[in-house]
Amino acid sequence: MIFTEKKKANKILIPVLMLSVLLSGCVQEKANQGTNAAADESTRTIVDQVGNTVVLPKEINRVVIASVWPLCSAYCLMFGTDKLVGLDPAIISAAENSMLIKIAPELSNLPSDFSKNGSLNAEELLKLKPDVVLYASGVMEDYEVATQAGIPAVGFSLSAKNFNAVETINSWMELLAEVMNVSYDTSKFVEYGNKMQALVADRLKDVKEEDKPAAMIIHKYSATTLAIPGTSTWGDYWITASGARNVANENKGTPQVTVEQIYKWNPDRIYITNFSDAVPDDLYNNTLEGYDWSNVGAVKSHNVYKMPLGIYRWYVTNTDSALTLLWLAKQHHTALFADIDMDTEIKKYYKEFYRIDLSDDDIREIYTPKRDAARGIKK
């Protein structure tokens, strides 16, 4: 009888103990959920253009722009210089020799020691205490250095829109607003870019292939380097979208080529980017040992141009890209764009989007960048 009563007592006690454990677990789970909720409220996740899921603070207060150099033009257009705590030296050298310095003179004083010859230094980067590092998809070393140092890194793709520079900058601005966790109305900016693309395409639609000039862009140029963009590059986009033929389209990417190859191509137009300190006179006067440009068509006709430097270097995507497309189209087919005055168009654009009045001297500076604009670029 006593044994029976004990069994009854145990039958009652065991469920009570189980219920107690379950209730205790539920309380602990709710406590954990509360902790996780608190953590979740202080962070958020985004997917960048490299395809990485990045955990970011809910509020971004300290930004470093590393290898994604052209992004600074978009950042300043959207947010001014607030929250910028570090820039790659190549960004600063471009800014100091461009119109960007007129908008944001404080850029000259931002720290840049975290990057040397295109490589990030984790120790120097940590001193800046950034909430996020912004980098270019072609420089995954930046991602590795930043993330190993415990700093979130967001990648911006150089080929986000198949190297269409006008559309790429739109996508960058969209991602940048997401990184900063703010809303920003880009509708007027996007509308202008779409308008310029449509205008150029419409005027060039009846141009026959044989009537398009043969063009070439020199990306980097020195006594040891002659890098010419082929397909899958900004250069190919600029040349073909503006109504010319890319003589280097037998190559992909931007390989080094020989001057003998250029003799075979014999371009009618040559453009030199601001990623090189070379200028047209270097070709006209053969100032670099090992190259003889005297028999190249573009040199003989004096059709060698330094690509302009407006808010940033016009070769890659930036917030001036719609102007770059129009400028190149006018270079290649002057008669078709005779009604458009580029000086006036640039002044109107800068007034509307950057809220600055450009002088005639400013326009001349945009068209004739100084060699110093290539400072800070890894050779």
Side-chain angles (χ1 to χ4, degrees), residues 80-379:
T81 57
D82 287 352
K83 302 184 179 182
L84 281 179
V85 297
L87 294 177
D88 188 278
I91 300 174
I92 295 176
S93 68
E96 290 176 339
N97 291 278
S98 73
M99 294 302 112
L100 185 55
I101 206 68
K102 296 180 182 295
I103 300 171
E106 58 272 24
L107 293 178
S108 288
N109 300 319
L110 285 175
S112 62
D113 288 344
F114 66 91
S115 179
K116 298 286 187 183
N117 296 319
S119 298
L120 296 191
N121 180 296
E123 185 178 352
E124 293 298 323
L125 187 60
L126 284 167
K127 290 178 183 178
L128 302 176
K129 300 178 181 178
D131 294 321
V132 66
V133 171
L134 311 179
Y135 71 96
S137 60
V139 190
M140 292 305 294
E141 296 89 344
D142 285 4
Y143 171 80
E144 298 295 336
V145 171
T147 54
Q148 286 177 18
I151 305 167
V154 176
F156 289 74
S157 174
L158 301 180
S159 57
K161 298 294 180 179
N162 295 318
F163 293 99
N164 180 320
V166 178
E167 294 179 7
T168 297
I169 195 62
N170 295 342
S171 74
W172 282 15
M173 291 169 73
E174 182 180 346
L175 177 57
L176 185 56
E178 191 177 1
V179 169
M180 300 305 293
N181 204 19
V182 299
S183 59
Y184 185 86
D185 184 6
T186 62
S187 57
K188 286 187 177 180
F189 181 84
V190 172
E191 181 182 355
Y192 182 90
N194 290 340
K195 176 184 173 183
M196 284 301 106
Q197 287 194 108
L199 182 150
V200 169
D202 182 64
R203 295 194 182 190
L204 295 176
K205 68 180 186 298
D206 296 324
V207 176
K208 297 177 181 178
E209 197 68 17
E210 60 266 28
D211 294 330
K212 296 178 180 179
M216 183 185 85
I217 293 177
I218 299 175
H219 180 53
K220 290 188 178 181
Y221 177 55
S222 69
T224 58
T225 303
L226 188 54
I228 311 298
T231 59
S232 299
T233 61
W234 303 114
D236 191 59
Y237 164 74
W238 289 127
I239 291 172
T240 56
S242 61
R245 290 178 288 114
N246 184 6
V247 298
N249 64 7
E250 63 195 59
N251 296 328
K252 185 176 182 179
T254 308
Q256 290 198 49
V257 304
T258 64
V259 72
E260 287 76 20
Q261 178 62 67
I262 293 172
Y263 296 157
K264 294 177 183 177
W265 289 336
N266 196 29
D268 305 311
R269 302 276 195 284
I270 293 177
Y271 301 93
I272 306 171
T273 78
N274 285 287
F275 293 95
S276 164
D277 61 8
V279 296
D281 280 346
D282 293 332
L283 276 63
Y284 295 145
N285 301 324
N286 282 326
T287 54
L288 279 180
E289 185 179 350
Y291 301 109
D292 179 9
W293 295 91
S294 60
N295 289 316
V296 177
V299 176
K300 290 194 289 186
S301 63
H302 271 230
N303 278 311
V304 180
Y305 307 93
K306 186 77 170 177
M307 290 198 75
L309 176 59
I311 207 69
Y312 186 72
R313 302 176 178 98
W314 275 17
Y315 174 67
V316 294
T317 189
N318 67 92
T319 50
D320 280 355
S321 286
L323 293 174
T324 311
L325 178 62
L326 185 61
W327 176 78
L328 280 166
K330 191 173 172 68
Q331 295 292 323
H332 296 150
H333 300 280
T334 306
L336 291 179
F337 297 89
D339 60 312
I340 296 175
D341 182 272
M342 277 307 303
D343 296 6
T344 301
E345 192 66 28
I346 293 171
K347 287 179 180 180
K348 285 168 53 181
Y349 184 89
Y350 272 62
K351 179 68 173 178
E352 178 172 0
F353 292 106
Y354 306 132
R355 296 175 294 281
I356 62 171
D357 294 304
L358 296 181
S359 67
D360 291 340
D361 287 341
D362 291 331
I363 296 294
R364 280 190 288 273
E365 284 185 30
I366 289 174
Y367 292 147
T368 54
K370 299 173 183 176
R371 293 181 188 270
D372 284 350
R375 282 188 296 107
I377 295 175
K378 186 177 181 180
K379 301 298 183 185

